[in-house]
Amino acid sequence: MTRTTPALLVSFVRRTTLALLLATASTASADDVSFNRDVRPLLSDRCFACHGPDATHREAELRLDVEEIAKKSAIVPGNAQKSEVFARITSDDPDVRMPPGEHGKALSPEEVDLVKRWIDQGAKYEPFWAYVPPKKHPVPEPQNADWSSHWIDRFVLDRLEKEGLPPSEDADRVTLLRRVSFDLTGLPPTPAEVDAFLADDDPGAYERVVDRLFASPRFGERMATYWLDLVRYADTVGYHGDQDHSVSPYRDYVIDAFHRNLPFDRFTREQLAGDLVEPSGTWQKVASGYNRLLQTSHEGGVQPKEYRAVYAADRVRNVSAVWMGATMGCSQCHDHKFDPYSAKDFYAMSAFFADVDDEQHFKVGTNSLPTRRPPEIVVPSEEQQRRLDEIAAQLATAELTEAEKKALERVRATLQKSLRKSMITVALGTPRTVRVLPRGNWLDDSGPVVQPAIPEFLGVLDVGER
């Protein structure tokens, strides 16, 4: 099983992305200590290197990242004074105090107090922050209820009131228009648009501006810039030769996706496996070009086996960062030292893409311009396709004289030469075998074979027969 079951992987990344986006939506009191927000970052920086997920460097068989183990020997929930962890971080004995002095990571008095309050409050652990299921919070009722009628603003005002801060003054209308114009299109409003907004006293004036900006061609271009940065989009290969990548239709696909308000699960599915979805039309295949956006090389002396490992690692790093909010790249050579990802998890994730045909360029790629990076398809623009259809219809007309037919064929040939190509994903008949690479060494084949799988601590996908 590789990308032949894209819906399962899409479902997984959809859930984790939603959790990532909503992970900060909390109404907890400022006095409450949150493990994910306050304690985990502290333990990760000061303690997990010796008492975390990495078994190779773990000391005293103590894991502070696993609740059951930590509370069995080092933490007494509700009582910091009886907890070994608190005793160690407050000890005056340099041979006992943690973290060890030579590490240069002593806790400040404020951080010690934070740990104490967390333990005294029950030392509540929370699942890894990026995978906490989102939940609906009641809309707060701030004291200044007249400040805004919008429910989102009430969350903001409620926190401001808890912090004893007054809300900022309302922006003037010109500033408000500039802000929303830059946010949604990346461009300032025109003088005429400013005048029209200032003259519109209707309560729905701002909403109409937003609707107008959403309908602008610039909206999709503005939104696409963020996504294209995330997925490392580029029109060149990225190495010293920096030859062309024929992939600009992918950019157009992303822009159009924002204009069409394409559902995120479909947006995800078409990029990860657009060649496998049903139906898979031209633009689904263009979307699958996501898998080809990484840096590639076919210079003299390139070892395909080495770059096979490089390409696989790049995909895991990008998919995990963009869709999962995860730093799985740290697990390429060893188990993650701070987060719950193993090296096995890393290579099992890469196995989802073991059927991507991305090695043809080692043999048939070119350094001339335009370059060749098969598999590629020709992608007419909407206008080009309309013109080609017109020519085809005209050529099918029996009344054409021979001279007219040749003229149309010349026009068609010229038009076809101007069509863009786009790199796409095509599945290999037999996926490549994927092994765990000890210390990330592509020359070492001694690691175990792995099948496509999500990180083990997240459970198991029901993938059926493999």
Side-chain angles (χ1 to χ4, degrees):
M1 189 285 296
T2 54
R3 293 178 311 113
T4 53
T5 56
L8 290 168
L9 186 58
V10 168
S11 175
F12 164 66
V13 297
R14 185 186 188 190
R15 295 196 308 271
T16 56
T17 302
L18 282 172
L20 172 62
L21 292 175
L22 299 178
T24 58
S26 173
T27 57
S29 166
D31 294 331
D32 292 338
V33 181
S34 164
F35 179 73
N36 278 338
R37 183 190 65 213
D38 306 314
V39 179
R40 188 193 293 274
L42 183 61
L43 297 181
S44 177
D45 181 53
R46 312 299 174 82
C47 309
F48 282 2
C50 299
H51 303 295
D54 183 11
T56 306
H57 298 91
R58 191 177 301 138
E59 300 287 345
E61 294 302 315
L62 173 61
R63 292 189 65 170
L64 294 178
D65 63 312
V66 177
E67 181 176 9
E68 295 77 11
I69 298 177
K71 291 182 177 179
K72 184 177 180 180
S73 59
I75 295 175
V76 179
N79 195 328
Q81 297 297 336
K82 291 185 177 180
S83 299
E84 183 68 15
V85 163
F86 186 70
R88 289 301 188 105
I89 65 176
T90 57
S91 174
D92 293 328
D93 186 341
D95 293 330
V96 175
R97 190 178 180 95
M98 291 290 170
E102 62 268 22
H103 289 189
K105 291 196 171 187
L107 276 67
S108 68
E110 294 78 14
E111 291 168 337
V112 170
D113 179 66
L114 183 68
V115 174
K116 181 179 186 301
R117 288 192 290 127
W118 173 64
I119 296 175
D120 285 340
Q121 290 176 11
K124 181 181 178 182
Y125 276 69
E126 296 165 332
F128 189 63
W129 68 271
Y131 310 116
V132 176
K135 61 181 180 180
K136 186 174 183 178
H137 295 278
V139 177
E141 296 293 338
Q143 298 175 13
N144 186 9
D146 295 332
W147 179 65
S148 174
S149 60
H150 199 286
W151 65 271
I152 292 179
D153 291 334
R154 294 184 184 182
F155 280 94
V156 176
L157 183 58
D158 183 66
R159 180 59 183 270
L160 288 174
E161 290 180 349
K162 283 184 170 63
E163 298 293 338
L165 298 172
S168 299
E169 295 294 327
D170 289 351
D172 62 85
R173 286 173 68 86
V174 174
T175 299
L176 186 64
L177 180 61
R178 283 177 57 83
R179 286 176 179 172
V180 71
S181 297
F182 275 117
D183 281 348
L184 296 184
T185 68
L187 297 170
T190 66
E193 290 168 345
V194 173
D195 292 341
F197 184 56
L198 292 178
D200 190 348
D201 295 328
D202 187 89
Y206 180 76
E207 285 73 12
R208 284 194 294 276
V209 165
V210 172
D211 288 341
R212 172 177 61 79
L213 295 172
F214 279 156
S216 167
R218 307 288 82 81
F219 167 71
E221 295 168 1
R222 172 65 167 170
M223 296 297 105
T225 59
Y226 301 108
W227 186 260
L228 295 175
D229 281 347
L230 285 172
V231 298
R232 74 273 196 245
Y233 173 86
D235 290 304
T236 56
V237 302
Y239 286 116
H240 66 278
D242 212 25
Q243 296 85 8
D244 290 349
H245 261 166
S246 295
V247 75
S248 61
Y250 171 84
R251 175 196 60 206
D252 297 347
Y253 163 83
V254 174
I255 294 172
D256 185 62
F258 281 100
H259 284 306
R260 292 187 291 129
N261 199 23
L262 189 68
F264 186 69
D265 58 348
R266 182 176 167 191
F267 184 60
T268 297
R269 184 178 292 111
E270 291 181 350
Q271 291 178 83
L272 296 180
D275 56 313
L276 302 176
V277 298
E278 294 293 343
S280 180
T282 297
W283 287 103
Q284 285 71 39
K285 291 181 173 62
V286 167
S288 76
Y290 160 76
N291 296 312
R292 308 283 309 285
L293 291 177
L294 65 170
Q295 290 178 287
T296 60
S297 176
H298 59 256
E299 64 177 322
V302 162
Q303 296 288 329
K305 185 177 179 181
E306 176 186 9
Y307 277 82
R308 188 176 301 142
V310 170
Y311 297 167
D314 183 280
R315 291 192 175 101
V316 174
R317 290 171 183 273
N318 196 258
V319 168
S320 63
V322 173
W323 274 279
M324 297 166 55
T327 56
M328 286 193 70
C330 298
S331 302
Q332 181 177 354
C333 302
H334 49 71
D335 291 349
H336 203 297
K337 293 185 180 298
F338 309 112
D339 296 333
Y341 306 110
S342 66
K344 179 183 177 182
D345 291 335
F346 182 90
Y347 291 98
M349 279 291 289
S350 76
F352 277 111
F353 305 95
D355 64 340
V356 173
D357 181 1
D358 60 358
E359 298 183 9
Q360 292 187 41
H361 70 85
F362 290 139
K363 299 179 180 179
V364 299
T366 65
N367 286 325
S368 59
L369 299 179
T371 56
R372 293 180 60 199
R373 288 291 191 279
E376 300 170 309
I377 60 171
V378 174
V379 185
S381 67
E382 185 175 325
E383 174 59 27
Q384 288 171 330
Q385 187 61 59
R386 184 190 64 78
R387 183 64 181 128
L388 287 170
D389 292 343
E390 287 179 351
I391 293 173
Q394 289 173 319
L395 288 173
T397 303
E399 291 78 14
L400 282 180
T401 67
E402 189 63 24
E404 290 175 324
K405 182 178 179 181
K406 289 182 178 180
L408 282 172
E409 288 174 343
R410 286 195 296 269
V411 172
R412 182 172 63 180
T414 300
L415 183 57
Q416 287 175 334
K417 287 181 180 179
S418 68
L419 301 182
R420 294 178 299 168
K421 289 184 177 181
S422 195
M423 298 186 300
I424 64 169
T425 300
V426 172
L428 297 169
T430 302
R432 292 180 289 269
T433 299
V434 177
R435 294 178 177 273
V436 174
L437 301 181
R439 299 190 63 81
N441 183 0
W442 60 274
L443 291 171
D444 190 342
D445 290 330
S446 65
V449 173
V450 292
Q451 298 295 328
I454 62 175
E456 287 185 347
F457 83 97
L458 292 173
V460 179
L461 292 179
D462 182 8
V463 297
E465 294 295 327
R466 299 189 178 185

